[in-house]
Amino acid sequence: GENVEQHPSTLSVQEGDSAVIKCTYSDSASNYFPWYKQELGKRPQLIIDIRSNVGEKKDQRIAVTLNKTAKHFSLHITETQPEDSAVYFCAASTSSGGYQKVTFGTGTKLQVIP
Amino acid sequence: DGGITQSPKYLFRKEGQNVTLSCEQNLNHDAMYWYRQDPGQGLRLIYYSQIVNDFQKGDIAEGYSVSREKKESFPLTVTSAQKNPTAFYLCASIDGTYNSPLHFGNGTRLTVT
């Protein structure tokens, strides 16, 4: 089955700096890669996603890159703000037999220091 | 207002008892999922279902059971066979569109003592 590894597990940055979170996946059949943000005690919420036919996607201060050959994808947050502090999860999705199976990384706790 | 409702928010049980967590959605989504979240381990897939009366085991199905008798409902039973049941449980759904994001409920925090 799919295995998703995520690094680093914790990340502290100064407000205004950039943050980068990296993930690797094992199943070459995975073709959809969402990123979720989870604030303390709340549900995960989608912040950006990328499909396998695209190499990069950007939404304001957030961007995701995908390298299918190397099986890795990354989340980039620029001009970080204190409200970006949360746990971020990458995921890889594989569709088979009509089912979509979504496997998550172990999460990165991002702390933005004012 | 469409969404996924998980109840209760907090649940306490004694060891050896089965307990059922509720998940209801009014999004008319086909697929529903149960994940377990433990500190430092991310979200791990327990069971998922694409249609009524059909479901698949996820990566950590042992000690859990589910049913999907209605499209909008996907209850999870944590049985006494689950060795470490204390965790945060998240229910999610996806619409029928290819490669769509998960929509999560607010979760149920289960504590077994």
Side-chain angles (χ1 to χ4, degrees), chain A residues 47-48 57-63 76-79 81:
Chain A
I47 54 171
I48 196 166
K57 183 177 178 180
K58 190 173 180 181
D59 182 4
Q60 299 184 347
R61 297 185 297 108
I62 295 173
H76 304 253
I77 306 174
T78 58
E79 300 170 26
Q81 302 166 4

Side-chain angles (χ1 to χ4, degrees), chain A residues 31 38 43 51 99-100 102, chain B residues 33 35 37 54 98-99:
Chain A
N31 52 13
Q38 186 179 30
R43 68 179 115 182
R51 289 169 175 78
Y99 278 86
Q100 184 177 335
V102 185
Chain B
Y33 299 73
Y35 285 89
Q37 186 172 23
D54 189 33
Y98 182 67
N99 282 339

Side-chain angles (χ1 to χ4, degrees), chain A residues 2-77:
Chain A
E2 175 66 281
N3 181 49
V4 178
E5 294 192 358
Q6 182 172 347
H7 300 281
S9 56
T10 60
L11 180 59
S12 290
V13 299
Q14 292 289 329
E15 182 177 357
D17 288 349
S18 295
V20 180
I21 301 170
K22 298 183 178 183
C23 289
T24 60
Y25 62 99
S26 60
D27 189 348
S28 56
S30 290
N31 52 13
Y32 173 63
F33 306 91
W35 285 86
Y36 291 85
K37 175 183 180 182
Q38 186 179 30
E39 296 175 354
L40 193 61
K42 296 190 175 180
R43 68 179 115 182
Q45 296 203 304
L46 179 77
I47 54 171
I48 196 166
D49 56 11
I50 191 166
R51 289 169 175 78
S52 59
N53 58 347
V54 175
E56 185 173 355
K57 183 177 178 180
K58 190 173 180 181
D59 182 4
Q60 299 184 347
R61 297 185 297 108
I62 295 173
V64 59
T65 58
L66 171 65
N67 183 326
K68 280 196 66 180
T69 304
K71 296 200 191 79
H72 68 70
F73 55 115
S74 301
L75 178 72
H76 304 253
I77 306 174

Side-chain angles (χ1 to χ4, degrees), chain A residues 2 31-32 34 36 38 41-46 49 51 89 93 95 98-107, chain B residues 33 35 37 40-43 45 48-50 54-56 59 88 90 94 97-102 104-106:
Chain A
E2 175 66 281
N31 52 13
Y32 173 63
Y36 291 85
Q38 186 179 30
K42 296 190 175 180
R43 68 179 115 182
Q45 296 203 304
L46 179 77
D49 56 11
R51 289 169 175 78
F89 293 97
S93 176
S95 296
Y99 278 86
Q100 184 177 335
K101 185 180 179 186
V102 185
T103 304
F104 284 81
T106 50
Chain B
Y33 299 73
Y35 285 89
Q37 186 172 23
Q41 296 197 50
L43 283 72
L45 182 62
Y48 55 121
S49 168
Q50 184 64 33
D54 189 33
F55 43 82
Q56 301 287 318
D59 300 316
F88 188 51
L90 284 159
I94 293 179
T97 308
Y98 182 67
N99 282 339
S100 299
L102 289 162
F104 285 94
N106 284 325

